[in-house]
Amino acid sequence: MNEKNVFINCPFDNQYFILLKPLLFSIIYIDLNPQISETSDSGEIRLHKIKNLMLHSKYSIHDLSRMEPMKNKELPRFNMAFECGIDFGIKLSNPVTMADKKFLILDKEDFRYQRVISDISGNDIKSHKNNPEQIIKVIRDWFKPTNPNIPRHKEIWLAFAEFEFDYEKILNSEGYDPKDIHALTFSDIIEMYPFCQLHL
Amino acid sequence: MEQKTSKGKLIQKFINAASSNSGRVHIVPGKDGWSVKKEGSTRSMLVFASKRRAVIAAKEIASSEQIVIHRLDGAIAKRSSTSFALVAVEDVTLSRLENTREKLRVRFARSKRKRRVETYKRHRILKNVNRIKSTNH
């Protein structure tokens, strides 16, 4: 289990991209390694990949804010809750090796989880209110006890804004759409994100 | 192969952008207001309650070559040279002011018309009452 790895379980769509970017940024800014699975893999390989990422990550962040139908009369999205369950299963079935594994559950409203997934009560459950600044604050505050030198959330937020300027400018100049989550693969984005630390 | 080359180029561009501090000033909305931040610094120089005041302050910063105004999600709302940014924001403020004046004017005209109609009705009623009184006499 890598002490610096943070597994991220969240939706991969353009609506969530405005939250995913500050989420990834804040994790890299505080010197940790975000671990996300590519969505394009085939079913079985993807599940194995997710399991390996969970096994090798000390921290896990599960965002359940989108476990709802995207349109009326559609079924809700189960992927995030399913992967969250797998991660809890890994921890519970390895009580010795995974004793230090920590979970952060994110949602868009306070206490909404109690209506649909009350079994996770007792864990760290925070609300980001669909606000990019708030998600940075929640992540930063959760990691604060593990690192006393962690910067203030305002500093990360301001650095993120500066990074966004470069991100949009560079992607536009290369013919990519900076608002399209599929314009680049996630590994590409993560490879690029460490350079945000040069803003320091 | 082509994608890899493109990725390498992108990473190089990011390194160059991140390691160079230009004279840009960023105006970033947040929980405590609109922060004015020089590119490359970790703290905001000033915080204002309104965007307009933040833009004016950013213009006053001697080294500001470009003002970048951000949206609530951190994305870019507007980027411009200092003089243009100020004019643009003032234009918006002025047009809002004009709209408010126009609305007030319309509302006042409506209330004036309403008052006139009410006075007219009152007069007609009084006239009718007087006529009835005189016929009774």
Side-chain angles (χ1 to χ4, degrees):
Chain A
M1 195 165 62
N2 190 317
E3 296 280 313
K4 283 196 159 192
N5 282 359
V6 183
F7 172 71
I8 297 165
N9 167 26
C10 65
F12 299 115
D13 53 50
N14 285 340
Q15 283 89 2
Y16 189 76
F17 200 31
I18 57 159
L19 293 174
L20 179 63
K21 279 194 285 181
L23 172 63
L24 291 174
F25 186 90
S26 48
I27 288 168
I28 293 164
Y29 199 90
I30 56 181
D31 203 20
L32 296 168
N33 306 323
Q35 305 286 309
I36 51 174
S37 64
E38 296 284 338
T39 49
S40 53
D41 294 347
S42 67
E44 196 187 1
I45 296 167
R46 181 172 146 76
L47 208 55
H48 280 296
K49 193 175 175 182
I50 288 169
K51 192 191 86 179
N52 285 333
L53 291 178
M54 289 168 175
L55 280 168
H56 294 101
S57 303
K58 184 180 175 180
Y59 305 101
S60 289
I61 297 173
H62 298 278
D63 192 333
L64 306 181
S65 61
R66 301 297 195 272
M67 54 177 181
E68 58 198 5
M70 288 179 85
K71 289 175 189 166
N72 280 344
K73 293 180 182 176
E74 266 190 8
L75 285 170
R77 300 161 79 182
F78 297 115
N79 268 350
M80 279 72 75
F82 176 65
E83 287 176 24
C84 180
I86 294 173
D87 209 5
F88 272 94
I90 286 172
K91 180 170 176 166
L92 293 173
S93 55
N94 300 289
V96 181
T97 52
M98 292 286 162
D100 292 337
K101 195 170 171 69
K102 288 182 170 53
F103 299 106
L104 170 65
I105 316 285
L106 297 176
D107 201 354
K108 63 178 180 181
E109 290 169 27
D110 291 326
F111 312 115
R112 189 179 72 135
Y113 71 93
Q114 288 177 347
R115 299 201 298 269
V116 282
I117 185 165
S118 57
D119 285 355
I120 58 169
S121 301
N123 289 282
D124 293 332
I125 303 163
K126 308 280 177 197
S127 146
H128 54 57
K129 299 178 173 64
N130 285 333
N131 182 315
E133 189 188 358
Q134 181 66 18
I135 204 167
I136 288 178
K137 188 175 186 324
V138 165
I139 301 292
R140 182 260 173 209
D141 291 351
W142 190 63
F143 282 109
K144 173 71 180 160
T146 65
N147 178 5
N149 299 320
I150 209 163
R152 296 165 308 121
H153 99 270
K154 181 82 184 283
E155 181 185 321
I156 307 173
W157 171 239
L158 291 175
F160 173 71
E162 201 176 305
F163 176 76
E164 269 285 280
F165 177 78
D166 289 335
Y167 183 80
E168 277 194 32
K169 197 175 78 177
I170 292 169
L171 261 71
N172 278 326
S173 71
E174 289 297 310
Y176 290 107
D177 178 3
K179 290 184 173 52
D180 184 9
I181 197 165
H182 302 294
L184 291 167
T185 58
F186 289 101
S187 54
D188 291 341
I189 292 173
I190 286 179
E191 269 180 49
M192 273 185 262
Y193 265 49
F195 303 115
C196 69
Q197 289 166 318
L198 290 169
H199 279 291
L200 285 165
Chain B
M1 190 66 193
E2 200 181 307
Q3 198 190 352
K4 280 204 167 186
T5 319
S6 171
K7 201 168 87 178
K9 212 167 89 179
L10 277 173
I11 290 170
Q12 192 54 50
K13 281 195 168 189
F14 268 86
I15 295 171
N16 294 342
S19 49
S20 64
N21 285 330
S22 68
R24 267 180 227 115
V25 175
H26 293 260
I27 297 171
V28 188
K31 291 181 175 200
D32 50 354
W34 292 83
S35 300
V36 179
K37 177 190 176 276
K38 274 174 87 172
E39 193 155 299
S41 66
T42 54
R43 284 172 177 268
S44 54
M45 300 170 75
L46 299 156
V47 181
F48 294 93
S50 77
K51 182 163 85 174
R52 188 173 175 269
R53 281 172 187 270
V55 173
I56 291 167
K59 204 208 165 211
E60 291 300 311
I61 297 167
S63 61
S64 64
E65 289 166 9
Q66 190 183 35
I67 294 174
V68 181
I69 305 170
H70 292 260
R71 287 203 310 251
L72 283 169
D73 62 356
I76 314 305
K78 184 175 270 181
R79 66 177 115 158
S80 51
S81 66
T82 50
S83 53
F84 174 75
L86 188 68
V87 169
V89 171
E90 279 181 344
D91 277 354
V92 170
T93 320
L94 279 173
S95 66
R96 271 188 200 153
L97 198 68
E98 282 299 314
N99 282 342
T100 318
R101 268 189 201 152
E102 189 55 36
K103 276 180 193 167
L104 283 172
R105 210 176 290 142
V106 170
R107 204 177 293 168
F108 180 71
R110 272 186 200 153
S111 62
K112 206 174 168 185
R113 203 182 309 139
K114 208 173 164 185
R115 273 203 306 273
R116 214 179 288 156
V117 170
E118 278 172 3
T119 320
Y120 173 73
K121 278 181 182 171
R122 212 179 300 136
H123 273 289
R124 273 191 67 180
I125 292 165
L126 278 173
K127 214 174 166 184
N128 285 339
V129 169
N130 287 339
R131 200 191 302 149
I132 293 161
K133 272 183 184 172
S134 61
T135 47
N136 284 346
H137 280 295

